[in-house]
Amino acid sequence: MTDRADLDTVFAALADPTRRAILTMLLEDDMAVTDVAEPFEMSLAAISKHLTILTRAGLIAQEKRGRVKWCKLQPDALRGASVWMQGFGQFEPVNLDAFERFLASELGGEDETRE
Amino acid sequence: MTDRADLDTVFAALADPTRRAILTMLLEDDMAVTDVAEPFEMSLAAISKHLTILTRAGLIAQEKRGRVKWCKLQPDALRGASVWMQGFGQFEPVNLDAFERFLASELGGEDETRE
DNA sequence: TTCTTACTTAACCGGAGGGTTGAATGAGGA
DNA sequence: TCCTCATTCAACCCTCCGGTTAAGTAAGAA
């Protein structure tokens, strides 16, 4: 499932504010590399490296269509890390079951876009 | 509450397997620095550095009693990071206001909201 | 006081991380 | 074909990270 190396790479990927911002942007929609880079004050090459790190962590997937490479979120990759964190159950974590039910009600009730 | 720098330091702290192992050990009980170091094949100074990093991330607290410094878990520090991650459990655009309310209800009450 | 225990600090090392610029690749468009 | 756009690669820079050893500090024991 989720071994140590996975957790290393996922947590390391999340430890950078630029990469977290990229993930947040991708929550809205899939994006091309150039569009991902646009709001940042940094070179395209730097963004490309960040995207490579996110891809290696499994947090996003990149698919090339034509000459454009599309980036899309792979939120399942967060699950292993999340579960690890919830293992510190001495606090009351965000309850995954409740979260699932929340999502189900949200997705089922008002925005049935999930196929 | 949880700003970017916090998430940086928390995720970075979690990205090292030694530090995650230390946190796991501290789940069982509070420990002195020397005892934390005992199972690891590395110098006490290295462990001391790891503990400093965990402390700065807020993940543990260190209290000196006599000449012994006790380390104890501060699992609340994981909450901010956990909440951030839960935001990515969703594939499809979900009502963000409802998501906020969900988080508020989950985190707000001491009692579990899951029935 | 002196010795020992429990840590931390300092100096150092190799390697990885985040950034740069500039060249290279690869796919359309004219 | 030639040009442009989208993206990566390569080389380099500097800083931080994870480890080392050795010296320093602080507190209890003798």
Side-chain angles (χ1 to χ4, degrees):
Chain A
M1 268 223 265
T2 306
D3 65 15
R4 287 176 182 84
D6 284 341
L7 290 176
D8 286 6
T9 55
V10 168
F11 282 130
L14 295 178
D16 184 274
T18 300
R19 288 193 291 266
R20 288 198 308 276
I22 291 173
L23 292 176
T24 303
M25 291 163 56
L26 291 176
L27 257 183
E28 313 252 335
D29 208 352
D30 300 355
M31 296 177 81
V33 174
T34 305
D35 296 329
V36 170
E38 196 272 333
F40 296 98
E41 299 274 327
M42 127 185 9
S43 71
L44 196 59
I47 296 294
S48 180
K49 282 188 186 180
H50 282 305
L51 292 172
T52 300
I53 290 171
L54 289 170
T55 301
R56 275 209 273 263
L59 291 166
I60 67 170
Q62 292 181 281
E63 180 200 353
K64 197 172 177 184
R65 281 204 299 272
R67 56 181 170 176
V68 174
K69 206 165 183 180
W70 293 91
C71 307
K72 70 178 299 186
L73 209 58
Q74 301 282 101
D76 274 357
L78 282 174
R79 183 157 290 246
S82 179
V83 166
W84 186 90
M85 289 170 65
Q86 316 264 329
F88 291 83
Q90 294 180 347
F91 66 107
E92 302 300 331
V94 175
N95 184 307
L96 272 184
D97 291 339
F99 183 69
E100 301 266 11
R101 284 198 300 279
F102 166 76
L103 285 183
S105 65
E106 275 296 306
L107 296 173
E110 83 168 9
D111 203 347
E112 244 272 286
T113 20
R114 184 123 173 78
E115 53 87 27
Chain B
M1 216 62 181
T2 307
D3 65 15
R4 276 132 199 101
D6 284 341
L7 289 175
D8 286 4
T9 54
V10 168
F11 282 130
L14 295 177
D16 183 273
T18 301
R19 287 193 292 264
R20 288 198 307 276
I22 291 174
L23 291 177
T24 302
M25 290 163 57
L26 291 177
L27 258 183
E28 313 252 333
D29 208 351
D30 299 354
M31 296 177 82
V33 173
T34 306
D35 296 329
V36 169
E38 195 272 333
F40 296 98
E41 299 274 328
M42 110 182 29
S43 70
L44 194 59
I47 296 294
S48 181
K49 283 189 188 182
H50 281 306
L51 292 173
T52 300
I53 290 170
L54 289 170
T55 301
R56 275 208 272 262
L59 291 165
I60 67 169
Q62 292 180 284
E63 180 199 356
K64 197 171 177 187
R65 280 204 298 273
R67 56 181 170 178
V68 175
K69 206 165 184 178
W70 293 92
C71 307
K72 70 177 301 185
L73 208 59
Q74 302 282 99
D76 274 357
L78 283 174
R79 180 167 290 176
S82 179
V83 167
W84 188 91
M85 289 171 63
Q86 301 289 333
F88 292 89
Q90 39 182 327
F91 289 83
E92 297 299 328
V94 165
N95 184 335
L96 278 183
D97 290 340
F99 182 62
E100 298 274 1
R101 286 198 302 277
F102 168 76
L103 290 182
S105 70
E106 274 293 304
L107 298 175
E110 276 295 272
D111 51 318
E112 301 193 12
T113 355
R114 70 165 162 90
E115 84 282 316

